[in-house]
Each structure stands twice: as structure tokens, then as C-alpha cells.
Amino acid sequence: MTDPVPAVEIAGITKRFGDVTAVDDIDLEIGDGEFFALLGPSGCGKTTTLRMIAGLDFPTMGSLKIFGDEVGTLPPNKRPVNTVFQAYALFPHMDVADNVAFGLKMQKVERAERDRRVAEAVGLVQLGGMEGRRPNQLSGGQQQRVALARALVNRPKVLLLDEPLGALDLKLRQEMQLELKALQREVGITFVFVTHDQEEALTMSDRIAVMHEGRLLQVGTPEDIYQRPANRFVADFIGRTNLLEATVASPEEVVLSNGMRVEAASDHAFGTKVAVSLRPEQAFLHRRGGSPAGWPSIDGVLREVTYVGNALVHSVAVDWITIEVRTPYRSTETPPQVGDEVSVSWEPGGVTVVGD
Amino acid sequence: MTAIAGRLLPNGNPVRLGDLARRFSLTRGALTANAWFVYLFFYAPIALLVVFSFSADRNVGRWGGFTLSWYDDFIGNTSIQNAIWVSVRVALLSTVISVVLGTLAAFAIERFRFRGRQAFDALLYLPIIIPDVTMAVMMLLFFSEFFDLVNLLFGTDLRKGFASITVSHIAFNISFVSVVVRARLAGMDKRLEEAAMDLYASRWKAFRHVTLPQIAPGVAGGALLALTLSLDDVVVTQFASGPGATTLPVYVFGLIRRGVTPLINSVSVVMLVASIGLVLLSLFVQRSRGGAAVGPPGAVAAGRSRRSS
């Protein structure tokens, strides 16, 4: 048995536009059948990476393989991938059926086969009966389905999606997240999607690659990325967190900037400046002095309480920073009031050390 | 005082009914008069032209009783008919060629980055900016030198005529076509072409099946403009034409110098009727297609400016 061939294999890819390095020497393997997210803020190079896989941009250097075949300089029409574009890019002068049939026509698939596959794809995205409509007669969600059908009808080996849900409103976006996931299981091919929305990436993906300023910071499962962020940027970008400045004292301990010793494992050298990431939902709030015995605890003053439906978000001012604590909302309890003296604590070892 | 209780103008003064009525009727009256003046300026000359084409007197502007003899003259005058025929052929040929070249030039400038692009861009608009006379003199010099050279080298006998008129019309029409097409192209989402290529279209097929249908209104507009400019042109044509061939505007211009007779009126009326016929025909064609062949340009523009990284 040999190792399965990765769907997409990126090795040492760099992309420069003039003086600007959009993608800086990244290596990435995306497995067959994976739902893979490229996540990062605007301008991080995620869309450029996707466009290079699609063939819409060519790498300045490096190797790009799709199922083992080098495709780095092939034009988009010679690659076994299809793209769902941001804002869909549906052809406005064609109806739904012609939009979906376009790829098959270009590949000269014969009429009967084409009609059959178009009907199948339209059914797959639940747009039966809409075949004769123009894109401007469809809602945003329907346009998105047409874009999916138009790509999937070609049976690509890899489907690329550029901010596929970006143009939809929140409710529809959450529905489509689940639908996309179900669709991917149904067709069983690799989905690579680009998003700046960390929640979307965490919800939908098997694995996530976090990018920043053209570089790949971390690749891992949503749990990996959330629980064990590779560095300060990832910890801060994924979810919400409190970053407490610290210095490494031993492999098991760091010293916070107020001199407090905190149990936290790291492989950084003694004396390295690091940060301790404390997730708001992993922090606990007590009245001053009420922290469980043996738990690390910092005293502070409650500055603000925000009700967010299923939880309360507390801002606690300690000596040098404001810490966010998230607790489940229970109507029977009287929560601490603004101005109260409180303590923030966490389970020993419940924080993560992140370097720069 | 006829102030209405409680009603005040924005400046705090009370509304007076009399003032209001007077101001209203004055504005209305002025606007109506303006409209009539505009129509008068537009159509009075045309009406006069038509009326005097039926006048029996040789002097335009003096009514000498009704006659159709000027139309008889027109029908019997082969040189006018030749001029019309040349005009039509020049217009059609130069329009077709300049639409193809102008559209391709617009596409090149709008979609590709290449060395010398900015210079090409600026040069392309030159024929629009420089005066007609300059363009005409340029053409005259160019064709004289060029034909002399070719005749000298190959012993041929090339002269200015149909070909040189057509080439000079193409030269200025390309600019106008590419300006119009470019405006349309700039408003089109580039991702549509990328989507077509992602869906296995070659560059040519993407242009043929996606770009061209999207810019069709621009191309059609450019073609109409080119056709009109070519049919209208006097100055450039005068310099580029030779004894062998001349267009209708240049011929009419020549007639006027020899003294104006109502023959010119009859020629103009025939042209007028023909162009009204063309406009009606194009309206009819558009109506029967229901405008469905051309999608609304804004349909895909919504997300254009939102490309991330």
C-alpha cells in the first residue's frame, strides 16, 4: 500500500504581483475528500492561493499538483477543478439551465448526456422548475445554488469556493453551511473554500489552514486550531481570547507580568517572552476571594456586563489588562454587579502558551 | 392680505394665493414657450427644405409653384446616384472593419497589461481630439506619398478614390468605436470571463460566448456611431477622395458652390426619408426582440468591488 495521493499538493509556492508578495513560500497538502478551509483576514493571500489552484493566477515559483499531476502553468480550462466564484459570476444573459450546461457545452458533451446531467445537477441543489429563469430573477441563495450546480455538473475532482456564503444574510448563511457540508458528503469530492469568517471555517471544515500576510501559520482540525493555536495571531484570530503577556520560567510554568506563576506547558526556552491565551468561556468569575482552592486567580473589578442571549460577557479590569469572561446565563442567579470586586480564575493548566 | 392661516413658506413668509398662482403660471408658460422654440428651431428648417424641394423656381427660397421636376432631375442624375452608392459602400465597409478593429483594441487595453499599453491608449484617442482638417491634410499627404511610392516601385497606377476614402474613414471610426465599447467593457465583471474559462472555455470561446453578448449593446452603439460619422463626413473625405469616386456629402457640397438649386433639396429630402426609415426599422427590430437578448448590465455588478485577498 502506498500513501493515498493528495487532492492538492502545494510545495514552495510563492506569488508576487510586482513588488507585492501575495503568497510567500507555502507548503500545503489537501487530502482526497476533505472539506478544507483557507482562513485569514483580507489580503492574507487565501484568495490568491485558491486562484492559483484554479489556474486563474500562476505561481511565481513552486510546484502545484492536483492528484499527482503538475498543473502549475496550465490554463484554467485544462484543470480538473471548478470554482464557485465570490458573488457567483453567473452569466446574466443565460438562463439557469444554460448557465449550468455551459461547462458541458464547452467540453462538447453530447446533447442527451448534457441534458441528463444538467437536470441531475439542478435537482441536486433543489432548483427544479427554475431552469428558465435568469440570474437576476433569483434570490441570493438561489444564485448560490446555481453557481454550485454550474460547477458540480462537470464532476470536478476538486471544487473551489471563494467566500461562497459571503453575499448571504446570516440566517441563510447558517442554513447553507449545513447544506454545503451535506452536499460535500453526498458528492464525495474535495472542497477547498476561502473564508475570512472563523466561525464558518470552524463549523464546516475537516481541516483549516490559517493564513496571514501571505504565510501559512497553522494547518489543523478546527479543534487543534482553537485549542492549540500555534501563535499569538492564530489565538487572537480564531474565536475570542485574552492574551496575557508572560515569560517562560520552565517547561511547565510561565510568569505573568504581575509576577504570578502560572502552570502552562510550553516548549519555548527559559526567559522567552510569550503570551498566555485564556479563552473567555474557560475563565470563571467569582466574588473576590471565592476562587476554588489551588486554581490560578487574578483579582479585578467588574467594569461591564453584556447580555448576549445565552451567555453573559463580563469585562474585568485587572491591574494591567481587561479580561473577558463568558458565563452561561441563568435567570435564577444574581450575577455580580458592575463595580463589584471580583476574581477571575481558571482550571490549572487551562490556558495555552502562544509565542510570536 | 390673502394669507392662509398657519401656512408658511420655508423662509417664514406667509403663502399668498395670488403669488403662488402667478409664479406657477409664469414658470409653466416659460417652459412651454421654450419647448415650442426648440421644436421650431429643430423642425422649421426641415419643413422649409421639404417645401422648397417642390418649388418650380430655380432660386431656393422663392416659391414658383408646385413641381416634381427636381425629383425627376435627381432620378435622372447618375452622378448623384453614384455618390450615394459610394457613400453607402464606404459607410458599410468602414463600419464593419472599424467595429472589429475598435472592439479588439478596446478589449486589449481593458483586459491585458502589455508594454506600451498607455502610449497605445493615448494614441488611440488622437483622431477624436485632433481637428478634422488636420486629419484630412494628414490623409492627403499620406495617400499622395504612399501611392507615388507604390506606383514608382511597381509601375501601377493607383489613385485616390474609393479605397482611400474607406481607409481614412476606418482611421477615425476605430477611435469612436473603441471609446464606446471600452465604456461597456469597463462596466462588465471580469470574473464572468474567468468563470467561463474555469468552465473549460478557451480564451476565444470565453470572448465569443460571454464577453461579446455582454458588450453587444456597446458594439451596436459603436457601429451606429461609425455609420453616421462615415455618412456625414465632408472634410476628411474631400481630401481623401479623387476624381474617380466621391461621397454624397462631398458631391452636395460641390453642387452648392456652383449655385444652390432645389435639386439639393430633393436629394436631402430623399436622404431624410431614408434615415427616418432606418430609425423606424431599428426601433421595430428592437421592439420585436423585446430587448430580451441583452441582459441588464447591473445584474452582476453588485459584488464587483468586494474581492478579498
Side-chain angles (χ1 to χ4, degrees), chain A residues 7-84:
Chain A
V8 179
E9 191 179 352
I10 291 173
I13 287 271
T14 294
K15 175 66 185 179
R16 291 197 194 94
F17 295 103
D19 296 336
V20 184
T21 303
V23 173
D24 191 2
D25 191 24
I26 66 169
D27 297 285
L28 187 61
E29 271 189 23
I30 300 170
D32 189 7
E34 255 192 312
F35 203 123
F36 193 92
L38 290 165
L39 174 67
S42 292
C44 71
K46 58 190 192 297
T47 296
T48 306
T49 305
L50 193 83
R51 288 173 58 86
M52 284 193 285
I53 302 173
L56 298 168
D57 280 322
F58 296 122
T60 310
M61 55 179 132
S63 149
L64 200 157
K65 288 180 182 166
I66 294 173
F67 285 97
D69 298 326
E70 179 67 45
V71 295
T73 56
L74 284 184
N77 52 340
K78 302 248 161 60
R79 298 185 186 209
V81 300
N82 289 109
T83 309
V84 173

Side-chain angles (χ1 to χ4, degrees), chain B residues 111-152:
Chain B
R111 285 288 187 265
F112 296 93
R113 297 286 168 269
F114 52 90
R115 190 184 295 272
R117 176 177 162 272
Q118 283 190 323
F120 184 57
D121 191 2
L123 284 173
L124 193 59
Y125 295 125
L126 217 52
I128 298 178
I129 299 160
I130 60 174
D132 272 3
V133 179
T134 317
M135 179 100 183
V137 173
M138 277 162 30
M139 286 296 169
L140 177 69
L141 283 174
F142 170 76
F143 285 120
S144 307
E145 296 294 320
F146 179 71
F147 287 151
D148 281 354
L149 187 70
V150 171
N151 291 343
L152 190 73

Side-chain angles (χ1 to χ4, degrees), chain A residues 261-277:
Chain A
R261 299 178 87 81
V262 171
E263 182 189 334
S266 76
D267 47 13
H268 295 280
F270 171 79
T272 313
K273 297 273 182 214
V274 293
V276 164
S277 162

Side-chain angles (χ1 to χ4, degrees), chain A residues 5 133 286 291:
Chain A
V5 182
R133 299 239 190 133
H286 309 277
S291 303

Side-chain angles (χ1 to χ4, degrees), chain B residues 14-71:
Chain B
V15 177
R16 284 189 205 129
L17 270 181
D19 280 0
L20 202 66
R22 216 170 301 136
R23 194 176 310 152
F24 188 60
S25 66
L26 194 68
T27 317
R28 227 186 127 86
L31 279 174
T32 310
N34 179 54
W36 281 110
F37 269 121
V38 169
Y39 281 123
L40 191 70
F41 274 112
F42 273 172
Y43 294 111
I46 296 179
L48 278 178
L49 178 94
V50 175
V51 168
F52 282 103
S53 72
F54 298 106
S55 165
D57 198 295
R58 274 195 67 82
N59 291 310
V60 177
R62 198 186 300 160
W63 182 252
F66 182 84
T67 178
L68 285 174
S69 67
W70 301 116
Y71 288 90

Side-chain angles (χ1 to χ4, degrees), chain B residues 184-233:
Chain B
R184 181 80 195 179
L185 210 51
M188 178 193 158
D189 189 351
K190 205 178 152 187
R191 265 183 310 218
L192 292 181
E193 283 158 24
E194 293 184 341
M197 285 190 274
D198 183 67
L199 295 164
Y200 309 103
S202 60
R203 215 173 238 297
W204 163 248
K205 281 193 168 172
F207 179 78
R208 165 81 188 72
H209 293 287
V210 174
T211 314
L212 204 54
Q214 287 298 303
I215 62 170
V219 174
L224 280 176
L225 191 62
L227 199 68
T228 316
L229 287 170
S230 174
L231 283 174
D232 266 359
D233 183 76

